């Protein structure tokens, strides 16, 4: 015999009931079919009961809706004449429940008995309708067989009596035997229920009593998934689970199966198979007691519970005193309060428990009453409740004695700024559960899921600021490289937000990158940096990265807040790293403390790796003695391009048009850009330095820098063309060249012109190239040389892209 249970979603409409019919009719074995109420009906009935209790007559409308729903299903399932007969019988059932609701409405009071009759009514109707589908099918009223008794004020199955009654009718079973789930009866033959979700339990009890070969739970998902698919879209189906694993997962909120279901079938070693009514071909999840090889997945699934509170009782007087925990749990049990998780510090100074938020006020009162004497003596001095909490549990039998699981778990939480309030790990090491704020639940689940199930596949959530030349190139790279990164590096880049100075567009699910700039301008809302930043923080997505491709001061000011919210920052903007030392240092330490990245490789030398190698030297214990460099692609382009036919003013304009220079070339010509770069390098080399500590000789005389506008400057600078060319020619005749360089030596930085001959490593520095010579304890005789394109949107975007990828390499 097989026992098949169909849940509310499986019997939620005539279409799905026809699927159920097909599944049942395809079976060869004798069957017990346990059905739930039509999806949503139990909730509606409970709603009607609550309204009736408050004396609100819309309770009758709610009941009419329920009736209508069933009438429609009957009408769609059966030919007219048969439908009439079924409706007639259904009417009689509805009359019964309607009378009870009327009673509740009149008295404005509900008894436990009436509540049970009303809430279990859905199963009575659905089982009747479904039993009519099968030729020769037979309906058994579960309340005649499933017996309960009150234990600690809770209806609990009386297994002895239940088994006896079920076995009495074993001979009366036919091929297809339909039983309503959820409903039961007590000793006085009053209707009771097995608790919300209890139809699974009904099926398990019957399967165990009749020694069924399998218990099949038919639902609307392919099986037990690695996490709740409504929260984690990338959750996938688990092939096999042990009874204990399934028990733990369901206890901690995986709705697929009602936790008590497992025990009766476990005792008889009856396997449970979770199947999808809407996709019967899918293999499903098999739950049995077969041990899986140790090398297999250590963690099987993650589950979570929300709407819970953390109650903590604390006091010096609790240390070493026996019976505190016992009294705490007894006080909860007396009022039927379910304790979901327990955590006690080994100092015994505090005990925390997790309970449903709905009962948290009641729980505090109970604890205060229980420990009244200790509170008066100050032995217990704090009873606190944190509301809006959630529990996340990771489950897997093979994590037993495997080191590093909790390290990996909590490390991933910490890096993403998810604060953990309490932790519980049973000595059986089957489960590690921990308490977080409910607002962090989604992020926490995603992070754990990624760490344990998709560690070969990381999602980076990007928020792009700036759509100028570099920003545009970056988007192009993201678009072109995404597939390759996914396939070869198991890295998924998701652009979750984009803004320029005019428009912004955000979507935590990800934006379509192809054509994103057009979409932004056409559909984006008005840009607002504060709103943008706030949303990035509120989305609270794991692995969030804000990418700044601007040269804007205001944007550099949001970094600190972002890093504090565990959001990594990748920037091509030099302002933050070259402003006050203190704020630069604060950004770096915040990133370090929060376990996120603050990367700005493109601040010096565009795409050239300069900061990275410098960091590596410093980290390996080397000491930087001297840096000599040409760090301005623009200025190097200018000195290389000016000749007797091409005057300085013309080349300045050309450099601007080619996108080498800063939008205002005076930032380059004043030497400011180079000052910023050598300052950043000096800081990265370990020197505490400010811009004002650097001696600078501008590229063109100061008087031109003082021009009121860029336009004036472009006009005025023409008069300097002659002097500049003169200097160039003189040097050329002497076999020399002019370079605009930067130097750091003995803790002192300078920026200005240098005249070099053909033996100097800077002599052949072409076009807009950059070069840096690093002299250190290890590179004394022959400095380390880094040379190549040092300007241009393409190489800068490539550098930014490389930094983004670095965030994934934790
Ligand atoms: N780990 C999980 N695996 C599969 N489903 C889950 C998990 N956690 C939560 N669920 C949810 O449980 C639902 C199935 O339970 P339920 O709604 O009670 O079904 P039924 O109506 O068949 O009894 C799924 O649709 C899914 O949204
Ligand atoms: N109808 C009951 C019993 C049940 O188990 O339903 P489902 O199988 O749809 O979870 C409830 O909603 O609690």
């Amino acid at each position: 015999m097989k026992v098949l249970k169909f849940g509310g979603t499986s019997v939620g409409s005539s279409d799905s009931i026809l699927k159920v019919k097909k599944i049942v009719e395809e079976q060869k074995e004798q069957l017990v079919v346990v059905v739930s109420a039509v999806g949503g009906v139990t909730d509606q009935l409970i709603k009607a009961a609550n309204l009736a209790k408050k004396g609100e007559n819309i309770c009758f409308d709610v009941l009419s809706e329920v009736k209508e729903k069933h009438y429609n299903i009957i009408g769609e399932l059966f030919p007219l004449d048969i439908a009439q007969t079924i409706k007639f019988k259904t009417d009689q059932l509805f009359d019964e429940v309607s009378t009870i609701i009327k009673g509740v409405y009149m008295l404005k009071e509900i008894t436990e008995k009436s509540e049970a009759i009303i809430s279990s009514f859905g199963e009575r109707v659905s089982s009747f309708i479904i039993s009519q589908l099968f030729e020769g099918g037979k309906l058994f009223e579960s309340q005649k067989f499933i017996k309960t008794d009150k234990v600690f004020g809770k209806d609990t199955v009386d297994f002895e009596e239940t088994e006896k009654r079920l076995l009495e009718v074993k001979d009366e079973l036919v091929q297809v035997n339909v039983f309503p789930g959820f409903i039961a009866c007590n000793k006085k033959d009053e209707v009771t229920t097995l608790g919300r979700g209890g139809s699974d339990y009904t099926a398990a009890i019957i399967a165990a009593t009749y020694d069924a070969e399998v218990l099949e739970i038919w639902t609307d998902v392919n099986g037990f998934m690695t996490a709740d698919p409504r929260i984690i879209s990338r959750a996938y189906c688990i092939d096999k689970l042990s009874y204990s694993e399934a028990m733990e997962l369901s206890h901690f909120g995986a709705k697929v199966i009602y936790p008590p279901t497992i025990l009766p079938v476990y005792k008889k070693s009856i396997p449970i198979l979770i199947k999808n009514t809407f996709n019967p071909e899918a293999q499903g999840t098999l739950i049995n007691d077969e041990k899986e090889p140790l090398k297999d997945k250590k963690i099987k699934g993650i589950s979570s519970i929300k709407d819970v509170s953390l109650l903590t009782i604390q006091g010096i007087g609790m240390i070493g005193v026996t019976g505190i925990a016992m009294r705490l749990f007894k006080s909860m049990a007396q009022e039927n309060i379910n304790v979901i998780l327990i955590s006690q510090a080994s100092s015994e100074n505090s005990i925390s428990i997790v309970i449903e938020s709905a009962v948290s006020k009641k729980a505090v009162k109970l604890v205060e009453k229980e420990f009244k004497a200790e509170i008066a003596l100050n032995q217990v001095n704090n009873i606190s409740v944190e509301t809006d909490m959630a529990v996340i549990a990771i489950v897997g039998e093979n994590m037993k004695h495997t080191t590093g699981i909790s390290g990996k778990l909590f490390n991933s939480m910490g890096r993403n700024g998810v604060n953990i309030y309490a932790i519980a790990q049973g000595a059986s090491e089957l489960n590690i559960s921990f308490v977080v704020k409910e607002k962090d639940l989604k992020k926490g689940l995603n992070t754990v899921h990624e760490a344990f199930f998709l560690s070969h596949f990381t999602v980076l959530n990007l928020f792009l600021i700036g759509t100028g030349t570099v920003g545009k190139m970056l988007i192009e790279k993201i678009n072109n490289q995404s597939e390759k990164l996914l396939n070869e590096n198991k890295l998924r880049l998701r652009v979750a937000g984009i803004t320029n100075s005019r428009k912004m567009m955000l979507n935590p699910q990800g934006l379509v990158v192809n054509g994103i700039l057009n979409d932004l301008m056409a559909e984006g809302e008005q840009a607002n940096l504060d709103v943008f930043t706030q949303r990035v923080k509120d989305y609270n997505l794991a692995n969030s990265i804000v990418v700044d491709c601007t040269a804007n001061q205001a944007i550099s000011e949001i970094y600190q807040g972002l890093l504090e919210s565990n959001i990594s920052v990748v920037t091509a903007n030099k302002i933050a790293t070259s402003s006050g030392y203190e704020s630069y240092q604060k950004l770096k330490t915040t990133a370090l403390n929060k376990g996120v990245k603050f990367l700005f490789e493109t601040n010096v030398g565009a795409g050239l790796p300069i900061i990275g190698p410098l960091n590596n030297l410093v980290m390996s214990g080397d000491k930087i003695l001297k840096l000599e460099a040409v760090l301005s692609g623009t200025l190097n382009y200018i000195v290389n391009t000016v000749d007797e036919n091409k005057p300085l003013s013309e080349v300045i304009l050309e450099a601007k048009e080619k996108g080498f220079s800063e939008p205002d070339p005076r930032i380059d010509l004043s030497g400011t850009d180079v000052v910023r770069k050598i300052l950043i390098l000096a800081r990265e080399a370990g020197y505490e330095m400010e811009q004002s500590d650097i001696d600078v000789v501008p590229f063109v005389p100061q008087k031109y820098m003082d021009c009121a506008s860029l336009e004036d400057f472009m006009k005025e600078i023409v008069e300097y063309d002659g002097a500049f060319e003169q200097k160039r020619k003189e040097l050329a005749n002497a076999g020399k060249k002019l370079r605009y360089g930067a130097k750091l030596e003995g803790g002192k930085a300078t920026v200005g012109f240098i005249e070099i001959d053909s033996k100097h490593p800077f002599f052949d520095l072409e076009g807009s190239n950059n070069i840096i010579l690093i002299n250190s304890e290890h590179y004394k005789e022959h400095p380390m040389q880094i040379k190549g394109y040092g300007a241009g949107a393409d190489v800068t975007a490539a550098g930014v892209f490389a930094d983004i990828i670095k965030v994934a390499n934790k």
Side-chain angles (χ1 to χ4, degrees):
M1 173 197 282
K2 278 183 168 187
V3 175
L4 274 57
K5 179 259 169 176
F6 292 92
T9 39
S10 302
V11 297
S13 67
S14 53
D15 276 350
S16 31
I17 294 177
L18 287 174
K19 293 195 165 68
V20 170
K21 183 171 189 275
K22 186 160 181 268
I23 293 165
V24 169
E25 285 174 349
E26 277 170 2
Q27 312 283 331
K28 290 179 193 67
E29 297 88 343
Q30 185 182 39
L31 296 183
V32 166
V33 175
V34 176
V35 294
S36 292
V38 169
V41 160
T42 313
D43 284 337
Q44 273 178 301
L45 290 166
I46 292 172
K47 187 174 157 197
N50 286 332
L51 289 167
K53 195 169 83 181
K54 287 192 215 142
E56 295 187 27
N57 61 10
I58 48 165
C59 62
F60 301 110
D61 297 342
V62 177
L63 192 63
S64 301
E65 278 170 33
V66 175
K67 195 169 176 178
E68 180 89 10
K69 203 182 246 179
H70 287 94
Y71 270 19
N72 287 342
I73 291 177
I74 297 168
E76 285 158 11
L77 283 178
F78 300 96
L80 204 60
D81 50 336
I82 301 179
Q84 287 302 345
T85 333
I86 296 176
K87 274 186 192 164
F88 178 73
K89 180 74 205 297
T90 311
D91 265 347
Q92 289 177 336
L93 290 172
F94 269 97
D95 285 348
E96 268 180 51
V97 79
S98 176
T99 313
I100 292 178
I101 290 186
K102 258 186 215 142
V104 174
Y105 172 73
M106 308 280 271
L107 292 171
K108 291 207 181 115
E109 203 178 69
I110 191 160
T111 60
E112 220 177 285
K113 186 174 139 192
S114 316
E115 203 169 4
I117 296 177
I118 299 169
S119 61
S120 63
F121 177 69
E123 271 73 7
R124 287 182 66 203
V125 207
S126 65
S127 58
F128 168 66
I129 299 171
I130 290 165
S131 69
Q132 301 301 306
L133 278 178
F134 308 109
E135 219 172 290
K138 189 166 173 184
L139 176 66
F140 288 80
E141 294 184 329
S142 299
Q143 62 272 37
K144 292 192 178 143
F145 311 101
I146 313 281
K147 286 285 158 183
T148 61
D149 207 354
K150 278 261 189 274
V151 178
F152 271 118
K154 198 174 168 211
D155 292 317
T156 311
V157 173
D158 175 349
F159 279 98
E160 214 175 299
E161 185 62 22
T162 302
E163 271 187 22
K164 190 175 137 242
R165 292 192 179 214
L166 280 172
L167 290 173
E168 275 167 11
V169 291
K170 197 171 181 201
D171 292 342
E172 294 165 32
L173 296 177
V174 292
Q175 169 63 18
V176 179
N177 306 281
V178 180
F179 283 71
F182 186 49
I183 191 166
C185 243
N186 64 17
K187 281 208 167 86
K188 289 189 253 163
D189 281 337
E190 293 163 343
V191 170
T192 55
T193 72
L194 299 184
R196 291 308 306 269
S199 296
D200 295 343
Y201 197 19
T202 309
I205 295 164
I206 298 175
T209 308
Y210 291 151
D211 284 317
E213 68 187 74
V214 64
L215 164 63
E216 295 185 358
I217 305 281
W218 288 80
T219 181
D220 63 342
V221 278
N222 281 352
F224 244 109
M225 317 274 269
T226 48
D228 187 338
R230 291 166 300 185
I231 309 180
I232 309 286
S233 56
R234 294 191 295 142
Y236 55 86
C237 191
I238 311 167
D239 295 344
K240 276 172 147 202
L241 284 173
S242 70
Y243 290 112
S244 323
E245 286 169 336
M247 183 73 167
E248 293 286 328
L249 283 170
S250 57
H251 173 72
F252 282 97
K255 233 191 128 195
V256 221
I257 199 164
Y258 182 52
T261 308
I262 296 156
L263 196 60
V265 282
Y266 160 73
K267 281 189 182 157
K268 294 232 168 156
S269 291
I270 298 169
I272 307 173
L273 185 61
I274 314 284
K275 292 281 286 179
N276 189 351
T277 305
F278 305 91
N279 183 16
E281 288 76 36
Q283 184 189 335
T285 302
L286 180 66
I287 304 167
N288 60 15
D289 49 16
E290 254 172 51
K291 287 261 169 287
E292 280 192 73
L294 267 174
K295 64 174 181 20
D296 279 9
K297 270 221 152 352
K298 308 278 184 279
I299 306 296
K300 288 296 198 53
I302 311 163
S303 53
S304 64
I305 311 178
K306 46 186 197 169
D307 299 324
V308 294
S309 296
L310 183 70
L311 188 153
T312 302
I313 149 165
Q314 198 177 12
I316 299 284
M318 287 162 53
I319 301 174
V321 181
T322 51
I324 299 264
M326 189 264 293
R327 284 167 57 199
L328 174 64
F329 299 131
K330 211 171 116 203
S331 66
M332 296 294 111
Q334 265 160 5
E335 288 289 328
N336 245 324
I337 295 178
N338 181 23
V339 176
I340 298 162
L341 177 148
I342 307 156
S343 165
Q344 177 176 24
S346 56
S347 68
E348 298 182 30
N349 173 28
S350 71
I351 305 179
S352 297
I353 57 171
V354 173
I355 48 179
E356 278 175 30
S357 287
V359 293
S360 66
K361 283 211 179 93
K362 186 157 122 191
V364 172
K365 286 214 183 91
L366 288 168
V367 176
E368 281 171 351
K369 195 169 143 211
E370 179 66 40
F371 294 97
K372 201 168 164 196
E374 284 82 355
I375 295 169
L377 293 170
N378 231 355
Q379 286 170 339
V380 166
N381 46 21
N382 196 7
I383 296 171
S384 62
V385 190
E386 292 267 358
T387 52
D388 301 321
M389 307 302 280
V391 180
I392 300 181
I394 63 168
V395 172
E397 278 198 303
N398 281 352
M399 74 171 142
K400 235 173 269 168
H401 314 306
T402 308
T403 49
I405 301 247
S406 34
K408 188 171 175 182
L409 173 68
F410 297 122
N411 185 6
S412 67
M413 289 293 122
R415 257 199 333 263
N416 280 289
V418 177
N419 201 7
I420 291 167
Y421 287 73
I423 302 171
Q425 176 178 19
S428 66
E429 291 185 48
L430 177 61
N431 154 331
I432 303 176
S433 32
F434 55 98
V435 184
V436 298
K437 274 270 172 218
E438 194 171 317
K439 71 168 178 49
D440 285 334
L441 175 61
K442 190 164 182 196
K443 184 181 188 180
L445 279 174
N446 265 300
T447 308
V448 185
H449 198 255
E450 197 155 273
F452 288 101
F453 294 101
L454 306 162
S455 48
H456 55 291
F457 182 62
T458 308
V459 178
L460 298 180
N461 289 296
L462 307 180
F463 296 89
L464 309 179
I465 309 184
T467 59
T469 44
V470 175
K472 267 197 200 104
M473 284 286 181
L474 178 65
I475 292 165
E476 213 170 281
K477 290 212 182 319
I478 294 173
N479 205 14
N480 295 340
Q481 290 302 108
S482 280
E483 210 172 303
K484 186 162 175 265
L485 280 173
L486 194 63
N487 297 334
E488 292 174 19
N489 305 68
K490 300 292 168 226
L491 203 60
R492 182 163 164 225
L493 300 183
R494 177 159 62 190
V495 178
I498 183 165
T499 182
N500 57 25
S501 54
R502 287 149 291 157
K503 295 276 179 115
M504 65 179 191
M505 196 162 71
L506 294 111
N507 183 348
Q509 261 85 50
L511 299 162
V512 179
V513 181
N514 205 355
I516 197 168
L517 288 176
N518 290 337
D519 294 348
L520 174 68
M521 295 325 281
E523 293 156 30
E525 54 187 309
Q526 195 182 346
N528 180 324
L529 188 59
D530 289 339
V531 176
F532 187 85
T533 315
Q534 196 51 48
R535 285 201 207 152
V536 174
K537 291 180 188 170
D538 291 346
Y539 288 164
N540 207 5
L541 299 173
N543 299 328
S544 289
I545 311 172
V546 166
V547 185
D548 179 4
C549 290
T550 73
N552 188 294
Q553 166 93 30
I555 294 164
S556 71
E557 286 165 11
I558 67 172
Y559 302 169
Q560 184 62 35
L562 291 169
L563 295 169
E564 276 166 16
S565 305
N566 290 79
I567 296 162
S568 291
V569 174
V570 166
T571 180
N573 180 350
K574 299 180 203 62
I575 298 180
T577 41
S578 59
S579 300
Y581 181 79
E582 212 176 300
S583 58
Y584 152 86
Q585 199 51 46
K586 198 167 162 202
L587 289 167
K588 292 198 55 144
T589 38
T590 309
L592 202 65
N593 293 340
K594 293 283 179 179
V596 291
K597 298 267 169 80
F598 172 47
L599 299 175
F600 44 88
E601 179 61 84
T602 50
N603 281 192
V604 182
L608 284 185
I610 298 178
I611 293 176
L614 196 63
N615 287 155
N616 290 346
L617 290 180
V618 175
M619 270 190 305
S620 67
D622 200 357
K623 188 167 164 41
I624 307 300
L625 304 172
K626 188 161 90 174
L627 297 177
E628 284 175 290
V630 171
L631 294 173
S632 170
T634 308
L635 300 185
N636 202 46
Y637 176 79
I638 296 174
V639 290
N640 280 334
T641 315
V642 171
D643 61 23
E644 57 263 35
N645 304 318
K646 254 190 165 170
L648 173 70
S649 55
E650 205 175 289
V651 181
I652 291 176
L653 200 64
E654 202 176 278
K656 177 171 154 48
E657 278 160 5
K658 285 198 165 161
F660 291 158
S661 76
E662 295 287 315
D664 181 347
R666 287 177 297 175
I667 306 265
D668 298 294
L669 297 162
S670 63
T672 305
D673 183 62
V674 179
V675 167
R676 284 175 179 168
K677 287 171 175 165
I678 191 74
L679 176 67
I680 296 167
L681 293 182
R683 286 173 172 180
E684 291 293 297
Y687 295 95
E688 189 177 327
M689 200 180 279
E690 299 289 353
Q691 273 198 32
S692 54
D693 298 328
I694 299 173
D695 286 339
V696 54
V697 176
F699 191 86
V700 295
Q702 187 60 40
K703 70 170 193 176
Y704 299 108
M705 292 297 115
D706 298 336
C707 288
S709 69
L710 180 57
E711 222 174 28
D712 289 351
F713 166 80
M714 291 311 293
K715 269 188 219 139
E716 300 271 317
I717 195 69
V718 177
E719 73 179 38
Y720 185 62
D721 284 348
F724 191 84
E725 171 55 16
Q726 174 75 25
K727 176 84 190 163
R728 187 199 67 81
K729 211 183 267 163
E730 271 169 27
L731 284 172
N733 290 341
K736 288 186 172 180
K737 275 186 186 172
L738 198 60
R739 294 279 176 229
Y740 192 75
K743 188 162 148 187
L744 172 77
E745 192 170 18
K748 179 80 201 137
T750 50
V751 169
F753 281 109
I754 40 175
E755 296 167 9
I756 49 167
D757 60 27
S758 61
K759 287 197 207 82
H760 197 281
F762 293 179
F763 194 81
D764 290 322
L765 196 65
E766 285 156 12
S768 64
N769 281 5
N770 277 192
I771 184 166
I772 178 157
L773 307 179
I774 305 175
N775 265 282
S776 69
E777 301 268 356
H778 298 157
Y779 290 85
K780 226 179 216 159
E781 303 280 292
H782 304 286
M784 182 191 282
Q785 269 196 41
I786 303 164
K787 184 175 167 185
Y789 285 130
D794 203 4
V795 284
T796 309
V800 171
F801 193 79
D803 272 353
I804 293 174
I805 306 300
K806 260 189 231 156
V807 177
N809 303 330
K810 291 151 197 157

